[in-house]
Amino acid sequence: MEKSLSKIFGLRAVIEAIQAGKTVEKAFMQKGLTGSLYNELNGLIKEHNIATSFVPVEKLDRLSKNQNHQGVVAQISPIKYHEAEVLIDEICSKKEKPLFLILDHITDVRNYGSIIRTAECTGVDAIIVPKAGSASLNADAIKTSAGAAFKLPICKVDHIKDALFLMQSYEIQSVAATEKTENTLYEVDLNKGTAIIMGSEDRGVNPSVLKIVDAKAKLPLYGEISSLNVSVACGAFLYEAVRQRL
């Protein structure tokens, strides 16, 4: 597809892409690299907080289709991420009851894409994700989103807690989806400015985030399986917000 995530490789090429302001979704680097160009690239990666995996050369060979990658392959994002402070201010100045979605380290790309699609369909104003430790917006995620990734603003932040403190300054309530509460989703008032937080597939919302949210809510479960797929749970939360706002 035209707007899918693309790859570049080679030390100098990746350095120049970062310096040119390209959004690098993730860098794959060969274990044990040394040299001045590597040091320059590594410094840029740390400066821009780019997600990085150190991998065997065989993986880089596959990613570059056996071309001269010089020990590094980078994935370039097909979208331009928004600055959280600017976007949140813009949305809150226009809408009385904005709806935000914060994804706390969602790692499965298809879940990510499915969540983006549902968020666009339910009128979410923006999605916020951490810069490191989240799924890449790759071709699979974009395909699963049915193109919604190109329609819905997405922000990357250094830390989820930074986004929550910013939300609080705009009187946006934060509601975490978690089983660590007695309150069900249907007891929470979502008919006001709200940021819904969905946690990672295996660990849920980070405990440090749970400490500072305004409300916690869970979905009632009546079967023997103790949890829902995160994209399904996210849909339930978002459509409850829709129901309350109708």
Side-chain angles (χ1 to χ4, degrees):
M1 58 182 5
E2 276 184 30
K3 294 184 179 180
S4 63
L5 185 146
S6 59
K7 300 184 185 76
I8 58 172
F9 46 86
L11 288 162
R12 176 56 65 189
V14 178
I15 287 170
E16 290 179 356
I18 296 172
Q19 291 175 334
K22 298 291 184 183
T23 301
V24 177
E25 191 80 26
K26 189 170 186 177
F28 296 90
M29 301 182 70
Q30 184 177 333
K31 297 175 181 177
L33 276 185
T34 58
S36 59
L37 276 180
Y38 164 74
N39 291 334
E40 182 180 353
L41 174 58
N42 198 39
L44 285 170
I45 284 173
K46 290 179 178 177
E47 178 184 343
H48 293 270
N49 199 19
I50 295 169
T52 307
S53 288
F54 291 91
V55 298
V57 67
E58 291 80 8
K59 182 174 179 67
L60 297 172
D61 291 340
R62 290 195 301 273
L63 289 171
S64 66
K65 297 182 179 178
N66 293 308
Q67 298 191 60
N68 184 22
H69 51 70
Q70 298 177 311
V72 59
V73 175
Q75 296 176 326
I76 305 299
S77 173
I79 69 165
K80 184 73 175 178
Y81 290 99
H82 294 254
E83 289 291 333
E85 294 86 350
V86 174
L87 184 63
I88 291 170
D89 181 72
E90 181 181 320
I91 291 170
C92 290
S93 67
K94 294 178 180 178
K95 295 192 69 172
E96 182 183 353
K97 297 182 287 189
L99 180 60
F100 297 96
L101 180 60
I102 299 176
L103 304 180
D104 186 3
H105 296 92
I106 301 297
T107 56
D108 183 276
V109 293
R110 289 181 177 83
N111 278 339
Y112 188 24
S114 179
I115 286 170
I116 295 171
R117 181 175 183 173
T118 303
E120 200 279 333
C121 289
T122 52
V124 168
D125 293 292
I127 291 176
I128 298 166
V129 299
K131 289 181 179 178
S134 294
S136 297
L137 190 60
N138 63 14
D140 283 338
I142 291 170
K143 182 178 181 181
T144 310
S145 82
F150 303 123
K151 301 177 183 295
L152 183 60
I154 301 176
C155 307
K156 282 193 170 185
V157 294
D158 290 327
H159 304 287
I160 293 296
K161 289 192 287 186
D162 294 338
L164 291 180
F165 290 135
L166 183 61
M167 295 285 183
Q168 288 171 357
S169 71
Y170 286 92
E171 299 184 341
I172 303 297
Q173 71 166 347
S174 52
V175 180
T178 175
E179 77 284 356
K180 298 173 183 176
T181 181
E182 295 302 315
N183 299 322
T184 70
L185 170 62
Y186 311 112
E187 300 171 74
V188 180
D189 181 8
L190 303 175
N191 193 21
K192 55 185 175 181
T194 300
I196 293 173
I197 306 140
M198 304 302 301
S200 66
E201 294 89 348
D202 55 345
R203 293 178 298 173
V205 177
N206 191 292
S208 64
V209 172
L210 289 177
K211 289 179 180 178
I212 61 172
V213 297
D214 298 306
K216 304 170 190 174
K218 66 180 179 181
L219 290 166
L221 299 173
Y222 297 106
E224 295 183 9
I225 297 175
S226 61
S227 65
L228 291 168
N229 173 279
V230 65
S231 66
V232 174
C234 184
F237 268 75
L238 291 177
Y239 268 101
E240 174 60 13
V242 170
R243 186 195 68 80
Q244 291 188 21
R245 292 165 183 232
L246 286 175

